[in-house]
Amino acid sequence: MPMSSSESATALKRTVIIAIFAAVAVVLSLIEAQIPLSGMGLVPGAKLGLANIMILTCIYFLRGRDALLLVILKTLLTAFLLGTFSSLLFSLFGSLFSFVVMFVLMLISGKGKSISLIGISIAGGIAHNIGQLLAASMVFASLSIFYYLPMLLITGVVTGIAVGYAVRYLVASLSKISLFEEFLD
């Protein structure tokens, strides 16, 4: 059954938003890769999670499958530009765990009403770190990698707060743009 012109326009808007969000997420990942956090005394492998700003914003405005597509695009493009197979695996596990947790919490909370966007972001940051540790434990066939967990939980909370605040302001700003009006519910 063919789409109506209204459905076609909405599909085009979704595609444009996903493309823009993917581009911004990749740029944020590239910027983040230039920040030497481990040189600042933080846990090796710790990251700010700046691309999660775009993922959580996408979850807020669009459907789950749109946000999942964004996660996959961002992960693949970033891995091709920056990494190796193992970094792709770690990033994919972390990103998928984070996406699932944030998506479910967004559904439960009613778009950040009962659980704030900051709380959802914190949960996503923690889930990302747990997903990466699970990938590492499979690659290295060892559970000893989980000794990083306490430090990664702390960094997940701290970065989750920063990302959550950024998302809160971005959602408020984007909500004023006509492109996003129909996705506000």
Side-chain angles (χ1 to χ4, degrees):
M1 173 181 233
M3 285 194 279
S4 70
S5 64
S6 166
E7 292 170 330
S8 181
T10 299
L12 178 59
K13 286 179 185 179
R14 286 183 195 282
T15 303
V16 168
I17 291 169
I18 292 167
I20 292 168
F21 282 6
V24 174
V26 169
V27 169
L28 289 172
S29 294
L30 293 173
I31 291 169
E32 182 178 287
Q34 303 306 311
I35 302 171
L37 292 179
S38 59
M40 296 178 196
L42 294 176
V43 177
K47 294 189 176 191
L48 297 173
L50 297 177
N52 273 345
I53 295 168
M54 302 318 300
I55 304 297
L56 185 51
T57 302
C58 188
I59 292 170
Y60 184 89
F61 284 109
L62 302 179
R63 302 173 301 191
R65 65 180 165 195
D66 299 327
L68 179 60
L69 176 60
L70 174 60
V71 167
I72 292 168
L73 281 171
K74 184 269 311 174
T75 303
L76 290 174
L77 290 170
T78 303
F80 289 141
L81 292 171
L82 294 174
T84 62
F85 173 72
S86 61
S87 67
L88 171 64
L89 182 67
F90 296 157
S91 182
L92 188 60
F93 264 67
S95 295
L96 289 175
F97 269 62
S98 179
F99 162 73
V100 168
V101 167
M102 291 190 302
F103 179 72
V104 168
L105 289 176
M106 188 71 78
L107 285 177
I108 292 169
S109 75
K111 283 201 169 187
K113 290 183 178 81
S114 64
I115 303 170
S116 72
L117 289 171
I118 296 166
I120 293 170
S121 177
I122 291 169
I126 290 170
H128 192 278
N129 290 335
I130 291 171
Q132 285 189 319
L133 286 176
L134 285 171
S137 70
M138 289 189 303
V139 167
F140 299 119
S142 171
L143 293 177
S144 64
I145 194 79
F146 279 92
Y147 76 89
Y148 272 129
L149 185 59
M151 285 304 295
L152 287 177
L153 290 177
I154 293 168
T155 60
V157 169
V158 172
T159 60
I161 291 169
V163 167
Y165 272 108
V167 171
R168 190 167 79 178
Y169 289 110
L170 182 58
V171 163
S173 295
L174 292 178
S175 295
K176 297 173 187 172
I177 298 174
S178 62
L179 177 64
F180 292 89
E181 283 177 353
E182 75 181 87
F183 303 113
L184 288 173
D185 292 335

